[in-house]
Amino acid sequence: MALTIEEMAVFCKKKGFVFPNSEIYGGMAGFFDYGPLGVELKNNLKQAWWNYHVKRRDDIVGIDGAIIASPKVWVASGHVGGFSDILVECKKCHARERADVLIEDKLKISADGMKLDEIESLIAKNKIVCPKCKGEFAEPSKFNLMFQTYVGPKQSEENIAYLRPETAQLIFTNFKNILDTSRVKLPFGIAQVGKAFRNEIAPRNFLFRCREFEQMEIEYFVHPDKLKECSYVNEVMNCELLTYSAEMQEKNLEPKKYKVKELLDKKIVKLSWHAYWLATEYNFFINLGVNPEHIRIRQHKKSELAHYASDCWDLEYKFPFGWKELQGIADRSDFDLQQHIKHSGKDLSWFDEEGKKKVVPFVIAEPSLGVDRSFLLFMFESYHDDKERGNIVLKLPNPLTPYYCAVFPLVKNKEEVAKLAEKVYKELKGCYTCMYDESGSVGRRYARADEIGVKYCVTIDFDSLDDKAVTIRDRDTTKQIRVPITELKSKLYELFLK
Ligand code: GAP
């Protein structure tokens, strides 16, 4: 993990994972384009998330909502009124900075959730000046992060619309449609993966804070009378989480490991549904091989809570620039459904057959994960500078790697070897993500494959013509095994599951 974020951005560009947007025109801050390898990794990541959260479960269904919705949605959700960051503008060069980020940089303290007057007095007291020209800052002000556009041919006030700043609201606005068309019963969740847009004041740290990004979100609805009855919490009671509660932060204590059972017994996490989702989300990453020491849960302090949240824990990852939010897991109570009931006048309740009454469900946990931040996590976790080999080895987990295997014909100018290699390649390509490489020395080919995360290289040599066998070389250990061609596909499958 010695690599800096800037070095990672260079690596991602060099290998075709991620490119800066509009580069030939000088770039566009906060926007990125995924290249041939990046799009594969990103799609695999979204698929792995969907399999884990939707496909393998019976209690979660999916939707794919539109990016633009009626502006009334964003008034009801509170985003038009309150989705803002505090900015400060330099009186001299007019550079605009996000106030909390500026304070964090200069004073090394968290300014998340600070009010306008607190920010103003901190800046004055510590004589913080513009990092670009050393000019004085004007009074801080609020800046709404929503991207605005017009729908239809008339660019007037009544045609204003917004690009969604989170996918979540489409889940709430479709709540009734899903109740009416799917056979869901409380408790159940609705999942969505898609783009979100925020006009960030200071996009920074490569994919970490962009203006266009993707989210993978779930709203998990529970019966308001059964908030304490999590049907699945026993599955995760022994899961151990590095924990940093609001109280620990306030008392300047170090984060500590607790099992879910202890978190609940000691009332560090209040509701079992919340604890269940914290552990479930943590396990998503651990199952994909992420080092448990690199992930922790951190509770928001009261001042940090979003307008909709009554409690919130983040899953944080140890990025090279510090422990940072990877995923928010907020308790949104019935805030959103109630807001939409109030603003639309529609009935968004669920009929409880047992209790014979209508109830408005609560969202005790909204696991909301950024695709781009997770992508970055997997790049950092996988990146190894192997001094012995003299090349980078990208140890991506099997379900995520853009190419699971590669086929190399080892002997040049020998038609039979090339023919056999092509045949093997075509067969593998039907089952696995597979690439073919015949150029350069075998050492170069291994190095190229290592650098983009190919897990197994299959080489076909002279002997393959006689013994009808090939060599499989493992990316992480470089160990080689000889396997009959007839057993190659099943062997690779066996190795995939390991
Ligand atoms: N629906 C709740 C919600 O949107 P959030 O904490 O604002 O909560 C959830 O965002 C996740 O989306 C974050 O944990 C992060 O992974 C990702 N995210 C948010 N803003 C982002 C940005 N500007 N760039 C990249 N990812 C971002």
Side-chain angles (χ1 to χ4, degrees):
M1 283 260 300
L3 203 67
T4 65
I5 187 79
E6 291 79 18
E7 287 164 341
M8 178 54 85
V10 170
F11 176 77
C12 282
K13 182 180 169 202
K14 186 172 156 209
K15 288 287 149 193
F17 282 95
V18 184
F19 305 127
N21 173 268
S22 313
E23 206 183 7
I24 58 168
Y25 291 102
M28 183 82 174
F31 296 89
F32 292 93
D33 301 327
Y34 285 78
L37 293 176
V39 70
E40 297 296 339
L41 171 52
K42 193 177 178 200
N43 283 342
N44 290 345
L45 176 57
K46 289 189 278 185
Q47 194 58 57
W49 185 91
W50 196 262
N51 289 346
Y52 181 80
H53 292 91
V54 183
K55 289 256 170 85
R56 80 176 175 117
R57 302 181 65 117
D58 293 324
D59 59 341
I60 299 190
V61 294
I63 63 158
D64 182 11
I67 281 166
I68 291 182
S70 161
K72 291 177 187 164
V73 170
W74 305 109
V75 172
S77 70
H79 285 84
V80 170
F83 191 56
S84 47
D85 278 337
I86 296 179
L87 76 74
V88 280
E89 184 170 338
C90 171
K91 285 185 189 165
K92 204 163 124 199
C93 74
H94 299 288
R96 292 178 147 208
E97 301 283 339
R98 197 173 134 174
D100 58 340
V101 173
L102 186 74
I103 289 175
E104 205 176 303
D105 277 356
K106 297 283 173 204
L107 308 180
K108 308 286 172 234
I109 56 164
S110 163
D112 251 352
M114 271 190 193
K115 306 241 158 40
L116 276 172
D117 52 344
E118 290 173 276
I119 297 258
E120 193 173 4
S121 77
L122 264 184
I123 289 181
K125 200 168 125 206
N126 294 283
K127 297 193 173 44
I128 299 177
V129 289
C130 170
K132 298 208 171 83
C133 75
K134 309 271 178 280
E136 213 181 292
F137 283 117
E139 266 179 32
S141 57
K142 286 192 174 173
F143 177 78
N144 193 297
L145 301 184
M146 299 242 280
F147 274 107
Q148 205 175 287
T149 186
Y150 299 97
V151 171
K154 205 166 148 209
Q155 297 200 338
S156 58
E157 188 84 356
E158 69 269 22
N159 288 342
I160 286 178
Y162 304 96
L163 306 192
R164 64 184 183 194
E166 62 169 11
T167 67
Q169 291 308 319
L170 282 298
I171 293 179
F172 296 116
T173 54
N174 280 295
F175 183 72
K176 193 75 186 150
N177 286 332
I178 290 160
L179 287 188
D180 291 347
T181 56
S182 318
R183 302 178 63 195
V184 286
K185 278 204 321 207
L186 290 180
F188 73 92
I190 303 173
Q192 184 175 200
V193 176
K195 292 266 186 183
F197 302 82
R198 296 182 189 176
N199 196 4
E200 296 283 355
I201 299 167
R204 51 147 71 186
N205 286 329
F206 186 35
L207 299 175
F208 183 81
R209 191 177 304 288
C210 335
R211 289 180 165 137
E212 175 176 343
F213 55 97
E214 268 185 282
Q215 292 184 315
M216 306 187 271
E217 298 199 292
I218 295 171
E219 302 303 325
Y220 199 85
F221 298 96
V222 299
H223 195 297
D225 300 343
K226 298 179 184 173
L227 300 183
K228 293 188 177 154
E229 294 171 32
C230 173
S231 350
Y232 313 114
V233 74
N234 284 335
E235 293 170 16
V236 297
M237 278 299 192
N238 288 324
C239 174
E240 205 175 48
L241 299 162
L242 183 60
T243 304
Y244 202 21
S245 68
E247 193 185 338
M248 289 159 107
Q249 293 162 62
E250 269 142 20
K251 291 186 176 164
N252 278 327
L253 301 174
E254 287 299 306
K256 196 175 158 193
K257 280 186 184 162
Y258 287 106
K259 290 194 170 160
V260 165
K261 185 171 179 341
E262 294 171 301
L263 288 174
L264 290 169
D265 288 348
K266 291 179 192 295
K267 300 198 175 3
I268 299 172
V269 176
K270 280 184 241 87
L271 294 170
S272 50
W273 273 114
H274 213 159
Y276 166 73
W277 276 108
L278 287 170
T280 302
E281 294 309 283
Y282 169 85
N283 282 335
F284 172 69
F285 289 101
I286 301 308
N287 293 350
L288 285 168
V290 175
N291 181 343
E293 300 299 320
H294 293 168
I295 296 199
R296 72 178 187 190
I297 56 166
R298 187 185 74 81
Q299 189 177 25
H300 283 208
K301 290 181 273 173
K302 279 257 164 336
S303 59
E304 280 178 75
L305 287 174
H307 63 276
Y308 51 75
S310 41
D311 189 10
C312 184
W313 287 79
D314 286 344
L315 222 62
E316 292 192 332
Y317 178 69
K318 199 175 179 187
F319 284 102
F321 43 95
W323 284 98
K324 296 283 173 203
E325 174 185 344
L326 177 68
Q327 174 171 32
I329 304 172
D331 175 346
R332 290 180 89 125
S333 66
D334 60 350
F335 174 85
D336 301 88
L337 286 180
Q338 292 292 9
Q339 281 295 103
H340 289 299
I341 290 170
K342 192 167 120 196
H343 285 255
S344 69
K346 298 287 186 309
D347 177 8
L348 302 182
S349 62
W350 178 76
F351 188 72
D352 172 3
E353 300 280 351
E354 271 173 37
K356 301 275 178 263
K357 61 174 180 178
K358 282 181 176 181
V359 293
V360 176
F362 271 51
V363 170
I364 294 305
E366 178 209 43
S368 172
L369 176 63
V371 175
D372 313 77
R373 281 190 197 175
S374 314
F375 182 101
L376 204 50
L377 169 154
F378 283 107
M379 291 305 286
F380 277 116
E381 280 293 302
S382 310
Y383 187 98
H384 291 82
D385 189 355
D386 192 317
K387 300 284 181 223
E388 234 171 80
R389 280 188 230 184
N391 61 261
I392 305 303
V393 184
L394 204 58
K395 296 185 178 177
L396 285 166
N398 289 344
L400 302 191
T401 190
Y403 290 107
Y404 176 57
C405 53
V407 173
F408 304 160
L410 277 200
V411 194
K412 265 193 175 172
N413 309 327
K414 186 73 191 165
E415 212 178 300
E416 291 100 306
V417 174
K419 258 194 194 154
L420 181 60
E422 268 171 42
K423 186 167 172 270
V424 169
Y425 169 64
K426 280 195 181 126
E427 270 176 32
L428 289 184
K429 207 158 168 65
C431 308
Y432 305 104
T433 49
C434 185
M435 57 177 267
Y436 190 80
D437 190 355
E438 56 181 3
S439 66
S441 70
V442 68
R444 266 315 300 148
R445 283 186 257 177
Y446 280 148
R448 270 202 299 268
D450 285 349
E451 284 181 352
I452 61 169
V454 176
K455 184 66 170 60
Y456 293 108
C457 294
V458 176
T459 51
I460 286 105
D461 52 25
F462 256 136
D463 293 343
S464 306
L465 298 175
D466 294 330
D467 68 1
K468 304 281 180 280
V470 294
T471 303
I472 301 178
R473 178 254 198 194
D474 183 308
R475 173 195 67 201
D476 302 341
T477 61
T478 70
K479 284 214 175 95
Q480 304 194 357
I481 49 170
R482 193 87 181 156
V483 178
I485 293 174
T486 49
E487 289 167 27
L488 180 60
K489 267 199 243 171
S490 56
K491 186 69 194 172
L492 284 172
Y493 185 62
E494 185 192 316
L495 292 169
F496 185 92
L497 297 178
K498 265 195 181 168

